[in-house]
Amino acid sequence: MSKDIVHVYLMPGMAANPTIFEYIKLPQDQFEVHWLEWMLPLDNSESISDYARRMTRAIKHNNIVLLGVSFGGVLVQEMSRHIKVKKLIIVSSIKSMNELPRHMQLAKKTKAYKLVPTHLVGNFELLAKYAFGSNVKKRVDLYKKYLSVSDDKYLSWAIKEILYWNQKEPPANVIHIHGDKDAVFPIKKITQCITIKNGTHIMIINKYKWFNENLPSLILEN
């Protein structure tokens, strides 16, 4: 029976730990779920491609499913260049540089991103706002549970890499799931996705029932 189990690897979003997936439950007779965690970049010049190659060392099975949220969705697309995957799924993310919102493209062009304070230890509200969107004040205590990667070097690297990601064409057969209320990557810039009504940037947490009901068929369909 074990040979028929599909191994599903889940990658959280920027600065988040894998407990964002705590409510994702897939049928155990068909799937085994594995949580991935962010590593520190070797240095600020490590490319996301090289970082993704290092991250594949955490993959212990063949023909897996890779699912990534937000910046984690960017990372799993890069990982899929180095290993064979059964399915590639991104949530609340982008699949090309063209889907970056205008203010992020402007931040890249003007290099304003360098002004973003990455010494965010102790300033959790600012970290939560950058990772999850502007409407976080009422939920800061909740997000403390999910955001734990506050290393300066990692944050500087992550911000730079998502802004300078240069993928022009999405990978073949990528499944993109996106909320129509996503404040970080607005739906108006997103193409060819499964749209979740009233889904926000954190819908992997607060719309987990949709994912539990629909991920099995999305993974297994040909």
Side-chain angles (χ1 to χ4, degrees):
M1 175 66 76
S2 62
K3 68 178 181 180
D4 299 320
I5 293 291
V6 177
H7 293 275
V8 182
Y9 283 78
L10 307 179
M11 187 72 215
M14 188 184 77
N17 61 62
T19 60
I20 68 167
F21 301 116
E22 64 181 330
Y23 301 119
I24 300 299
K25 308 294 182 185
L26 304 181
Q28 294 183 358
D29 61 335
Q30 295 175 290
F31 306 97
E32 185 173 341
V33 173
H34 308 269
W35 291 356
L36 295 171
E37 298 188 55
W38 290 104
M39 311 177 294
L40 293 183
L42 296 179
D43 54 59
N44 202 44
S45 63
E46 183 177 22
S47 70
I48 194 168
S49 178
D50 288 344
Y51 184 97
R53 191 190 303 274
R54 282 204 296 132
M55 183 62 79
T56 61
R57 298 173 190 169
I59 306 299
K60 306 301 182 185
H61 305 90
N62 296 318
N63 202 29
I64 63 161
V65 174
L66 268 180
L67 181 150
V69 174
S70 192
F71 183 46
V74 171
L75 179 63
V76 297
Q77 290 174 77
E78 291 294 327
M79 290 172 66
S80 72
R81 299 175 186 273
H82 303 296
I83 58 174
K84 181 181 179 182
V85 298
K86 176 182 178 70
K87 282 289 172 67
L88 178 63
I89 304 171
I90 64 173
V91 177
S92 307
S93 189
I94 58 173
K95 50 191 183 295
S96 80
M97 58 190 292
N98 301 315
E99 294 184 337
L100 271 179
R102 186 175 179 182
H103 72 274
M104 289 190 186
Q105 293 178 356
L106 185 62
K108 171 185 173 181
K109 190 173 295 185
T110 63
K111 300 193 183 300
Y113 69 93
K114 292 185 176 181
L115 302 177
V116 176
T118 55
H119 49 289
L120 296 176
V121 179
N123 190 347
F124 183 82
E125 187 171 327
L126 185 56
L127 175 57
K129 185 177 292 188
Y130 202 84
F132 288 146
S134 58
N135 187 26
V136 299
K137 281 192 174 182
K138 294 180 180 178
R139 302 190 181 102
V140 162
D141 287 340
L142 176 64
Y143 294 156
K144 284 180 180 177
K145 176 179 179 179
Y146 298 119
L147 291 179
S148 62
V149 188
S150 52
D151 180 86
D152 288 8
K153 183 169 71 171
Y154 163 80
L155 291 169
S156 295
W157 173 84
I159 292 168
K160 177 174 68 72
E161 288 302 317
I162 196 165
L163 293 180
Y164 279 86
W165 192 47
N166 61 3
Q167 179 164 280
K168 294 183 175 67
E169 298 293 333
N173 302 319
V174 62
I175 298 171
H176 187 171
I177 305 170
H178 211 86
D180 64 0
K181 304 294 187 197
D182 193 310
V184 176
F185 300 121
I187 190 72
K188 65 182 179 181
K189 294 283 288 186
I190 304 299
T191 62
Q192 296 180 321
C193 70
I194 298 170
T195 303
I196 307 303
K197 186 176 181 180
N198 295 320
T200 66
H201 198 62
I202 59 163
M203 64 183 184
I204 196 71
I205 299 170
N206 57 24
K207 288 194 175 293
Y208 66 90
K209 289 181 180 178
W210 185 94
F211 289 93
N212 290 344
E213 291 170 3
N214 291 278
L215 279 179
S217 59
L218 287 173
I219 290 170
L220 295 177
E221 69 183 6
N222 294 324

